[in-house]
Amino acid sequence: MTRPGDPADTDVVGTALVETVRRTGAAVGALYLLAPDEQVLCLDVLCGVPAGIAAPWRRVPVTAPAPIAESVRQERLVWVASHEELARAYPRTAMALPYPLALAAAPVTGDRRWGALLLMWPATHPAHMTRREQGHVAMTCRRLARLLDLAAESGPPRTCADRPRVLALETAQRDTRPPLAAADFAERLPGGSCALDLEGRFSFLTSGGAELLGRSPSRLLGTLPWQSLPWLDDPVYEDRYRAAVISRRPVSFTACRPPDRWMEFHLYPDASGISVRIVPAGEQPPPALAPPRPTAPATPARAGQLYQLMHLAAALTEVVGVQDVVDLIADQIMPAFGARSLVLSVAEAGRLKIMGHRGYPAVVIEQLDGLPLDTTFTPAGHALATGIPSFFAEPSEMSRIYPDAPRVSGKQAWAFLPLIISGRPVGCCVLTYDRSHAFSAEERAVMTSLAGLIAQALDRARLYDAKQRLAHGLQQALLPHSLPRIDGLDVAARYAPATHGMDIGGDFYDLIPLGDTAAAAVIGDVQGHNVEAAALMGQVRTAVHAHASLGAHPDQVLSRTNQLLTDLDPGLFTSCLYAHLDLGRGRVRLANAGHPPPLLRQPGRRTRPLPVPAGPVLGIVPGAIYPVTDLPLTDGLTLAFYTDGLVEEPGVDLDVSIDRLARHFEQSDDEDLDLLADSLLRHAPTGRPRTDDIALLLLRSRAARE
């Protein structure tokens, strides 16, 4: 919450936003702020459209496939030139925003990451942003960041409110009571005329317009057309209004006033509202009208709710784990229906096990967790047994059947949505309200439809989580639980699983003691990211360990392991880097099987990739030969072994990425190898979910202890 006089007071922040919209010629502007956990972007300030149109995007997860989220993740400007491009790159966003437009999203970053700026233009905007527009966007992001930084210095950091602040693009509002001459001018025009504000309400109406619409001005002014005129209560007509508001382009449609009087509506939008010309169908329309778009018949419902439902349905198809389902319901479905709290339970061993919740204290969750499926304590059991959702608009309705439930939860209205798949109960989703809430028939229908989608998403998510736990357990069992202590050698290792897929891969590392003054270090990467890759990784690691322990030379360790893999013919190949460290003689010998080169850092010298001639990857060429590289193991020398997940980035040459890692390595403090390992991991390419795992092994020679 802002305080009067703050540098980041809403008026100052809003002024910067409005100025940018004007200077760039945009139609819509929005400022998103990161929630305290930095996992969600929430809409803070909006201008150019009413808040209702932006409802599907009030809260956007940072991981979502959306322009605003991608700009924050990748810390760059995201430009989308057309709706066609939006549909290709961000189909979920395009589904909920089906209008011709162009948009840009840019991160707002100062002393910390604050959020992002979103601008939208009509479809007439050129395919590329001009330098002037890019300059205005960059300048505004810096200005907003400075304001937010200053506010954080003098008090708690600014966070967005439950509802966005909507600002007008005009500094001075137009007079909604036109002068007499202007009114006379409009009255003399054939047909009818009216004006709508950006919220869609009638703000002006001529007598001809009132006659064609069949209602007196007093009954229409201040109302929404689709509410005061039942024959306009169709999503097709509201959609045309939304298209005009967002695209800022003229829009036309034809509607029938019962019983058989057809009329053409021509909408002319700008930043302050919409002027509408109404003429009987068949008469000559005004010039330069946009051709009406063909529309398909639709069941009467609010257009915004339909688009929001499609947006939520598409989002549910993309969730992966159970926590993703909980977060999506809490961040997007709850706000869509005005709910304040959530409990999501699954049917397990005859009981309702709570998988996630929002807005409930822990003591209440303890009482609700583990209730039997046939419980009479709450309606959850009955809803799950019958498959019929239950809605309670106020506590008295609940108390008549379940007297203890209102007292325990303290809520004032409830929606119990059973999660059923093909007659099989999966669980129950409970949305609750802090105030009494009357559930309309339309709202109940939408909630019930979403419950079916939630059930499928939850079932898939539970299966994914089970596979992930199995994969993670297998991966951890195959990697060393700890590294041995070796006198004269400091070591640190890290393993980071992929953030996309089954959370399993074939990357591995190992450190093998070879007597009192020697050790072997190995790192490898098995092709693939599945159970087969992990199983082969275990075989490779075991083979290398066995040959090294028997005293084989580095080239022989790789040659014998290669022979084993070619005999087994697993259909997968493995890259591997092996090093024999002779701490007594101060020498290190390395052999490479198609693996990225290690990084070498010596005190007072430039950090560089160490050129180690490589033989073929393991498991492909029988009888392959692996050259050996020999170098001094001086005091303070540090070697970094890594897998390609640490450096590989789409569209970037691998050698360039390795050089970047070497420079980062050189500039990092290596006093503590564990801190250095964490720093190198943070250097890994970020942005989209990581599709490859990472293994990292750091070795530093030091004088042996007395």
Side-chain angles (χ1 to χ4, degrees):
M1 181 178 296
T2 58
R3 300 169 296 279
D6 275 354
D9 186 84
T10 301
D11 290 338
V12 180
V13 172
T15 297
L17 177 63
V18 170
E19 286 178 358
T20 301
V21 171
R22 290 197 192 115
R23 290 176 178 175
T24 59
V28 179
L31 172 65
Y32 283 81
L33 294 181
L34 280 166
D37 60 3
E38 296 198 354
Q39 298 301 308
V40 176
L41 288 157
C42 50
L43 181 57
D44 185 45
V45 185
L46 176 69
C47 66
V49 293
I53 290 181
W57 312 284
R58 284 183 183 174
R59 294 175 64 84
V60 180
V62 173
T63 57
I68 194 75
E70 186 164 298
S71 73
V72 172
R73 290 198 307 270
Q74 299 188 2
E75 298 183 351
R76 67 177 181 89
L77 174 71
V78 174
W79 167 251
V80 180
S82 65
H83 188 266
E84 290 74 16
E85 185 177 325
L86 184 69
R88 288 193 301 269
Y90 309 98
R92 190 203 299 179
T93 303
M95 184 180 296
L97 195 64
Y99 307 112
L101 53 81
L103 64 83
V108 176
T109 304
D111 294 340
R112 52 171 280 190
R113 291 197 313 171
W114 287 106
L117 172 69
L118 176 68
L119 297 172
M120 297 167 60
W121 287 265
T124 53
H125 190 283
H128 301 283
M129 290 184 74
T130 65
R131 291 186 177 180
R132 177 175 172 273
E133 289 170 335
Q134 293 178 8
H136 281 315
V137 170
M139 180 181 67
T140 299
C141 290
R142 290 194 297 268
R143 179 181 176 187
L144 290 172
R146 285 198 301 271
L147 293 171
L148 295 167
D149 288 338
L150 289 172
E153 291 175 2
S154 59
R158 176 186 173 92
T159 57
C160 56
D162 292 339
R163 295 182 180 275
R165 186 72 62 89
V166 181
L167 304 178
L169 286 178
E170 301 292 335
T171 53
Q173 293 293 324
R174 295 182 183 176
D175 191 348
T176 57
R177 301 164 298 173
L180 184 59
D184 289 342
F185 168 80
E187 288 288 350
R188 287 190 290 268
L189 293 174
S193 302
C194 65
L196 306 177
D197 61 21
L198 288 181
E199 298 287 343
R201 296 182 177 87
F202 285 107
S203 58
F204 171 71
L205 189 68
T206 65
S207 58
E211 180 181 352
L212 289 172
L213 295 176
R215 291 286 176 90
S216 66
S218 61
R219 296 184 62 183
L220 293 177
L221 290 175
T223 69
L224 296 169
W226 42 87
Q227 292 180 354
S228 53
L229 300 170
W231 50 279
L232 288 179
D233 187 15
D234 189 294
V236 170
Y237 307 138
E238 185 185 349
D239 179 61
R240 299 294 78 220
Y241 147 75
R242 293 164 65 93
V245 170
I246 293 177
S247 71
R248 294 291 197 266
R249 298 175 66 182
V251 172
S252 300
F253 66 86
T254 303
C256 180
R257 172 187 159 190
D260 55 5
R261 192 171 185 183
W262 288 88
M263 286 173 283
E264 294 177 358
F265 292 78
H266 305 281
L267 284 63
Y268 299 89
D270 72 0
S272 64
I274 301 175
S275 297
V276 183
R277 287 283 291 123
I278 310 170
V279 294
E283 295 188 6
Q284 184 67 28
L289 294 178
R293 280 175 43 183
T295 54
T299 304
R302 294 279 58 82
Q305 292 173 338
L306 289 176
Y307 289 135
Q308 192 162 28
L309 178 59
M310 289 190 294
H311 177 77
L312 295 174
L316 282 168
T317 65
E318 297 177 357
V319 293
V320 178
V322 171
Q323 189 58 48
D324 296 331
V325 177
V326 174
D327 292 341
L328 177 66
I329 298 173
D331 294 336
Q332 299 191 41
I333 294 180
M334 274 173 50
F337 295 101
R340 304 295 295 178
S341 308
L342 156 76
V343 173
L344 183 67
S345 305
V346 297
E348 191 172 281
R351 294 187 175 273
L352 283 168
K353 180 181 178 182
I354 294 179
M355 304 300 291
H357 61 90
R358 292 283 180 89
Y360 278 91
V363 64
V364 174
I365 296 300
E366 289 177 3
Q367 296 182 63
L368 299 176
D369 193 17
L371 291 174
L373 293 181
D374 58 354
T375 179
T376 57
F377 184 70
T378 77
H382 180 265
L384 202 55
T386 62
I388 301 174
S390 301
F391 300 92
F392 300 89
E394 55 185 31
S396 60
E397 294 182 10
M398 174 81 81
S399 299
R400 284 196 295 268
I401 309 174
Y402 305 94
D404 294 328
R407 176 180 52 80
V408 171
S409 70
K411 304 301 179 182
Q412 301 298 307
W414 300 260
F416 288 83
L417 308 174
L419 307 179
I420 310 292
I421 299 178
S422 301
R424 175 172 60 89
V426 174
C428 185
C429 178
V430 185
L431 301 179
T432 59
Y433 298 77
D434 292 340
R435 297 179 181 178
S436 299
H437 181 85
F439 297 91
S440 66
E442 183 178 307
E443 190 175 31
R444 295 182 185 211
V446 173
M447 283 186 174
T448 303
S449 299
L450 275 177
L453 298 175
I454 293 172
Q456 297 179 38
L458 181 61
D459 201 42
R460 291 194 308 270
R462 294 184 69 195
L463 178 61
Y464 173 86
D465 283 351
K467 289 181 178 179
Q468 189 183 48
R469 286 192 295 271
L470 173 63
H472 185 70
L474 176 61
Q475 183 83 39
Q476 294 303 311
L478 294 174
L479 288 172
H481 297 291
S482 61
L483 295 177
R485 291 181 176 273
I486 298 175
D487 200 21
L489 193 66
D490 292 330
V491 297
R494 294 291 185 272
Y495 175 79
T499 57
H500 178 77
M502 275 190 62
D503 195 20
I504 188 171
D507 290 13
F508 68 95
Y509 61 84
D510 205 353
L511 184 65
I512 309 163
L514 301 175
D516 295 333
T517 61
V522 61
I523 193 164
D525 184 358
V526 179
Q527 172 199 12
H529 303 90
N530 49 35
V531 175
E532 289 77 12
L536 181 60
M537 178 264 280
Q539 292 176 311
V540 174
R541 179 174 168 240
T542 300
V544 170
H545 198 291
H547 294 311
S549 299
L550 291 174
H553 290 182
D555 56 333
Q556 295 175 338
V557 170
L558 294 187
S559 297
R560 294 173 184 177
T561 303
N562 177 62
Q563 189 61 49
L564 171 66
L565 295 186
T566 53
D567 290 344
L568 292 174
D569 191 19
L572 301 173
F573 61 79
T574 304
S575 70
C576 186
L577 178 64
Y578 178 87
H580 180 275
L581 301 109
D582 190 334
L583 301 170
R585 297 179 180 178
R587 307 295 298 177
V588 56
R589 305 180 71 200
L590 301 101
N592 189 355
H595 199 80
L599 300 181
L600 174 66
R601 177 171 176 173
Q602 291 179 301
R605 298 187 186 179
R606 185 176 66 87
T607 300
R608 59 186 175 88
L610 181 64
V612 180
V617 292
L618 305 177
I620 300 296
V621 181
I625 297 175
Y626 297 93
V628 175
T629 300
D630 194 321
L631 72 151
L633 187 61
T634 56
D635 187 36
L637 179 145
T638 305
L639 289 170
F641 294 1
Y642 55 91
T643 55
D644 56 9
L646 185 63
V647 291
E648 206 165 48
E649 187 174 0
V652 180
D653 184 81
L654 185 60
D655 290 336
V656 173
S657 296
I658 292 174
D659 287 339
R660 289 177 182 172
L661 180 65
R663 288 196 298 272
H664 181 77
F665 187 10
E666 183 174 3
Q667 295 166 4
S668 301
D669 184 4
D670 67 345
E671 184 67 25
D672 187 319
L673 284 191
D674 284 309
L675 295 179
L676 176 60
D678 292 336
S679 175
L680 293 177
L681 273 188
R682 287 194 297 270
H683 179 74
T686 58
R688 295 184 180 275
R690 189 171 61 247
T691 57
D692 199 2
D693 48 345
I694 297 172
L696 174 66
L697 180 63
L698 299 179
L699 309 165
R700 182 174 60 199
S701 173
R702 56 175 167 78
R705 295 173 183 170
E706 298 297 334

